[in-house]
Amino acid sequence: MVYVTSWDEFVERTVQLFRASPESTRYCMKYRHCDGKLVLKVTDNKECLKFKTDQAQEAKKMEKLNNIFFTLMARGPDVDMSEITGKEHIEAQPAKKGRGRKQ
Amino acid sequence: MRGRDDGGGGVGSGRGMGRAGFFYNQTPFLMNLRACLSEALRQALFGLLLNDRYLFLLGCFLYRIFINALRFSCSIASLKSKAQRNKMKTAEQPIEYRCLVRATNGKKTISTSVGAKDHQRFQASYATILKAHMTALKKRERKDRKKAAEDKKEGGSKKPKRA
């Protein structure tokens, strides 16, 4: 399987994939600690899109994609995308605050 | 509570969690009765955990770092059969979607379902837990960071953030 190199392209294509077949699409994440690698995968059993990273900065991007997919899946595929991206900024701040307190 | 945990079909059993097991066993008492009941029902039906419990166990999974790989997945579900869904479609009722979230370390699997109401809260804590434990990912190289810091100093008055 070929990995998608560009993050923006990956997000765009995965959302398209989900919109096309919401009921069969799944989003998987694999984290291997000893290699320090994180692989994001979105597939609908016909097409498979993957993104691989070993950078800590990319964890933020993963969070964004998580947010997109949670919203799409919990609210149904017809949700407005601009709504999701708008909420991201609001959500990002309390998430950071919580991190400090918990540890 | 304990009896149910043992009979939970291996879904997030409290064994082997070490000290964390104490908190694990205490959590149900902190929830209200209705939540307990619905969780028991859900566990019996789908093996699903309540969101908070899922997050807690996820933390346990990640805490034990010697495990090699973790897989997470989420998919869409409406917790209704296809026939029911079709009926609702024809009756033009809105279908309530739920997001199934799973995590496995190869031995144990935990799962939960997230509804439209609490997906934001769940997402925030999920991301916090994941980011806190994914420590093996490479941080930015020092040269880059210094360069970035210099650029920022030149460009704006903001102090460079340290990772």
Side-chain angles (χ1 to χ4, degrees), chain B residues 16-29:
Chain B
M17 295 294 176
R19 264 191 307 164
F22 173 73
F23 182 68
Y24 174 86
N25 285 330
Q26 293 303 311
T27 39
F29 299 109

Side-chain angles (χ1 to χ4, degrees), chain B:
Chain B
M1 286 304 137
R2 278 178 198 180
R4 201 193 68 232
D5 285 341
D6 291 335
V11 180
S13 153
R15 266 177 245 140
M17 295 294 176
R19 264 191 307 164
F22 173 73
F23 182 68
Y24 174 86
N25 285 330
Q26 293 303 311
T27 39
F29 299 109
L30 302 176
M31 300 167 188
N32 61 29
L33 185 67
R34 210 176 146 192
C36 278
L37 281 177
S38 68
E39 195 203 2
L41 197 69
R42 268 198 267 173
Q43 268 208 12
L45 290 174
F46 311 107
L48 297 177
L49 297 169
L50 214 61
N51 289 348
D52 292 338
R53 186 109 125 189
Y54 172 84
L55 288 172
F56 175 73
L57 284 175
L58 187 68
C60 290
F61 268 16
L62 286 162
Y63 182 70
R64 300 194 293 164
I65 277 168
F66 56 84
I67 47 165
N68 268 340
L70 264 176
R71 284 156 194 272
F72 310 89
S73 72
C74 60
S75 56
I76 198 167
S78 55
L79 300 183
K80 295 249 161 69
S81 71
K82 233 184 185 178
Q84 266 179 320
R85 247 182 280 152
N86 286 338
K87 258 189 199 174
M88 285 172 92
K89 262 184 196 171
T90 47
E92 290 188 356
Q93 284 174 327
I95 301 172
E96 197 208 337
Y97 289 104
R98 294 191 76 86
C99 177
L100 286 179
V101 191
R102 297 186 197 95
T104 178
N105 62 358
K107 287 170 196 163
K108 276 180 192 167
T109 304
I110 51 174
S111 57
T112 188
S113 78
V114 184
K117 277 180 194 169
D118 44 22
H119 79 269
Q120 279 197 334
R121 199 176 58 85
F122 181 82
Q123 196 274 338
S125 27
Y126 191 65
T128 312
I129 291 176
L130 291 192
K131 275 198 288 184
H133 287 91
M134 288 184 176
T135 45
L137 297 176
K138 280 181 202 162
K139 281 175 187 165
R140 235 186 277 173
E141 282 176 23
R142 278 191 177 177
K143 277 183 185 175
D144 292 347
R145 209 199 274 164
K146 274 183 186 173
K147 270 186 188 175
E150 279 171 11
D151 289 345
K152 271 188 184 175
K153 272 185 185 174
E154 283 171 11
S157 59
K158 271 190 178 180
K159 283 183 182 178
K161 281 180 186 175
R162 283 187 185 176

